[in-house]
Amino acid sequence: MPRKIALVGVGKIAIDQHIPALNASSDWELAAAVSRNTVVDGIPNYTSMDEMLKAHPEVEVVSLCMPPVPRFEYARAALKAGRHVMLEKPPGATLSEVHTLAELADDAGLTLYATWHSREAAFVKAAKAWLAGKTVESFTVTWHESVRKWHPGQDWVFEAGGMGIFDPGINALSIVTEILPDAIHLKSATLDFPENCDTPIAAQLDFYHPHGGAVTADMNWDHEGDDIWQIEAVTDQGVMTLKNGGGLLLIDGVIQAGAEDGLTGEYPNLYANMSDLVADEKSDVDLRPMLHVSDALTLGKRNFVKAFNW
Ligand code: NAP
């Protein structure tokens, strides 16, 4: 029997990824949606999550697809109502609020899953396996994309808590923290804040690496042209290049065989993971990607750059 799940916050990512992934899965039945503005065809729709929870005691899992700032109150209410909770990335607006949610879930014996969709790209596991046991000499992240393409008109990304460039940059950090064999921490950062925004539009990060490797990240959200989502690792035993956000892997310049479109499995994998976590009565809340973002916002030198306009 498929597990019943409800989606809350029906915007770009719910429509692009969550609904298709759920509809294609035999593990799940999308049983209800909560949206203040949208209706999902063929299922009961609500404008209030509390009403949905009251009307659907059979809904075991709530998947929260709204931006990070409003998410905590929804997550808390769903856990208090005895439902398992799945969080879009980044899992919250602050680290402390996610710790609070993790404790609530733990105390109630419920699953909390802080998802990192980029970790589910086709070649992330292979990249991790290739790097294991090698000495990293340099590890260079380049994450350039257009905010106008991926977040058209979404003002929240430039408001406090929206994280700006770290909204996509945290995807890179979720891969870095998964595949890099060594623990790193931020040494310095430079953040470019448009003069009319609360969050940065570009960031350069420089990390401490325990074996002296040069670990850096260059992130830019005001990029025209094709997305550049790349991580290059120079090691004592060759060069690994993870391109297309983890959808393509090259070793010493040679493309590794595998998935044709390396990103299509991300959301199906997240829902398969959630199904396993609920069945195993476990949670998965890895906050390392967000720790690095938080450190960058604490330590980063701020440059003020020209105002951003859509
Ligand atoms: P979005 O379209 O701007 O917002 C998603 C939905 O959240 C809105 O349609 C709205 O749903 C709800 N919402 C917005 N503000 C709210 C508020 N103050 N209170 C309650 N609900 C609110 O954003 P998105 O692009 O889908 O991104 C949502 C999350 O997914 C973010 O954390 C983002 O990082 C992540 N994500 C986005 C992408 C992408 O390509 N855009 C990719 C991967 C992950 P209703 O109108 O239904 O109420």
Side-chain angles (χ1 to χ4, degrees):
M1 278 279 283
R3 255 181 233 287
K4 292 191 169 47
I5 187 167
L7 279 184
V8 184
V10 185
K12 185 168 183 348
I13 199 59
I15 291 166
D16 289 357
Q17 298 289 347
H18 289 256
I19 294 172
L22 286 168
N23 286 343
S25 170
S26 55
D27 292 338
W28 296 102
E29 178 188 331
L30 181 53
V34 179
S35 171
R36 301 155 314 154
N37 302 292
T38 309
V39 167
V40 179
D41 289 341
I43 57 169
N45 286 270
Y46 298 83
T47 52
S48 144
M49 189 179 77
D50 287 345
E51 279 172 28
M52 182 279 290
L53 292 172
K54 279 189 196 116
H56 294 274
E58 79 287 5
V59 165
E60 282 183 73
V61 176
V62 173
S63 181
L64 299 178
C65 304
M66 69 281 292
V69 169
R71 201 179 297 132
F72 172 79
E73 292 298 343
Y74 286 87
R76 184 177 176 280
L79 289 168
K80 287 279 184 192
R83 317 305 165 94
H84 308 289
V85 170
M86 194 164 155
L87 304 168
E88 249 299 352
K89 51 64 53 172
T94 68
L95 290 161
S96 335
E97 70 180 35
V98 190
H99 285 300
T100 299
L101 294 176
E103 277 166 29
L104 275 176
D106 209 29
D107 290 349
L110 294 164
T111 294
L112 181 69
Y113 182 20
T115 65
W116 298 110
H117 67 85
S118 289
R119 285 186 178 170
E120 303 301 327
F123 286 97
V124 171
K125 280 190 179 63
K128 180 176 182 167
W130 188 85
L131 282 168
K134 297 189 172 72
T135 301
V136 171
E137 291 164 7
S138 70
F139 202 84
T140 309
V141 176
T142 311
W143 224 256
H144 293 184
E145 65 172 59
S146 164
V147 62
R148 295 177 179 84
K149 172 179 169 188
W150 292 106
H151 291 275
Q154 295 179 10
D155 288 330
W156 63 264
V157 299
F158 287 119
E159 291 167 3
M163 292 196 189
I165 181 57
F166 294 116
D167 177 89
I170 204 167
N171 298 335
L173 295 170
S174 75
I175 298 177
V176 170
T177 47
E178 179 65 16
I179 68 175
L180 187 60
D182 316 295
I184 55 170
H185 65 258
L186 195 72
K187 270 195 313 196
S188 66
T190 306
L191 311 175
D192 291 346
F193 279 75
E195 59 192 19
N196 59 343
C197 297
D198 298 330
T199 62
I201 194 163
Q204 288 80 42
L205 312 180
D206 189 5
F207 291 91
Y208 168 85
H209 179 262
H211 307 302
V215 181
T216 59
D218 177 19
M219 301 170 173
N220 181 11
W221 226 5
D222 198 9
H223 172 75
E224 300 298 330
D226 292 342
D227 307 309
I228 304 172
W229 297 324
Q230 176 171 308
I231 298 173
E232 182 175 86
V234 177
T235 76
D236 59 335
Q237 296 168 54
V239 178
M240 181 215 78
T241 315
L242 194 57
K243 292 175 120 125
N244 300 359
L248 186 67
L249 179 67
L250 289 81
I251 303 296
D252 294 328
V254 178
I255 293 179
Q256 305 299 291
E260 271 174 32
D261 179 351
L263 301 185
T264 50
E266 288 185 350
Y267 280 81
N269 288 353
L270 291 181
Y271 279 103
N273 296 345
M274 184 64 180
S275 183
D276 290 346
L277 287 168
V278 174
D280 296 343
E281 300 181 4
K282 288 186 174 151
S283 286
D284 180 348
V285 184
D286 177 4
L287 294 179
R288 287 175 297 158
M290 205 163 144
L291 261 180
H292 295 311
V293 170
S294 196
D295 282 356
L297 292 169
T298 306
L299 185 63
K301 176 177 164 44
R302 287 160 195 241
N303 293 327
F304 292 96
V305 298
K306 73 175 168 23
F308 176 83
N309 294 300
W310 293 105

